[in-house]
Amino acid sequence: MKKTILAIDDNKETLFLEGVVLTQAGYQVHTALGGEAALKMIHELKEIDLILLDYEMAGMNGPEFLAALEKQYPLVFEQTPVIYATAHENPPQKLNKSWIPKLRDIDKFIKDVERFITP
């Protein structure tokens, strides 16, 4: 069975590219344009194996999304790995989560994602 990834970003082009790349890599991918849309989508998804989260988003940023996720869906928060996908060369130390660089190198991006999906 395909592993399911929820990609969250406030940039439509980034979401589209992540969706295409990860789908071609064999994953089932759901994309959400921002944190609010992601929270609504999580209610409908039965299983998520990984959340790929942008750190800086308009409206609700990554840390705010995580706080809302923990409050609204504590089991998803506890059981689902969340990694930040960031364009920053050196992301803030306060991330307190793992991170990977966004789509600069597609092969590396896929390998980075694979590290966080449990077999």
Side-chain angles (χ1 to χ4, degrees):
M1 184 159 76
K2 288 184 178 183
K3 296 290 184 174
T4 301
I5 297 174
L6 173 59
I8 307 166
D9 204 300
D10 63 342
N11 182 296
K12 288 180 186 179
E13 291 81 15
T14 298
L15 277 179
F16 176 77
L17 288 173
E18 287 178 353
V20 168
V21 166
L22 293 170
T23 298
Q24 288 179 348
Y27 297 104
Q28 180 176 346
V29 182
H30 298 275
T31 58
L33 189 60
E36 291 290 339
L39 290 171
K40 290 176 185 172
M41 188 177 287
I42 288 169
H43 178 73
E44 299 170 13
L45 295 175
K46 294 184 191 286
E47 187 174 324
I48 305 168
D49 296 297
L50 178 71
I51 296 174
L52 191 59
L53 177 63
D54 186 20
Y55 181 76
E56 290 182 20
M57 295 185 288
M60 177 185 290
N61 66 26
E64 291 167 341
F65 168 80
L66 286 175
L69 179 67
E70 182 176 25
K71 183 177 180 182
Q72 293 179 32
Y73 303 102
L75 284 176
V76 174
F77 179 82
E78 290 174 20
Q79 297 174 357
T80 307
V82 177
I83 57 172
Y84 284 112
T86 181
H88 293 285
E89 288 292 326
N90 297 307
Q93 293 297 320
K94 64 183 177 188
L95 281 183
N96 209 17
K97 285 278 180 194
S98 296
W99 65 275
I100 62 172
K102 281 188 185 179
L103 293 172
R104 285 187 210 117
D105 176 331
I106 291 174
D107 291 332
K108 182 173 180 351
F109 177 76
I110 292 168
K111 286 179 185 173
D112 286 341
V113 167
E114 288 173 350
R115 290 183 315 162
F116 294 95
I117 298 231
T118 46

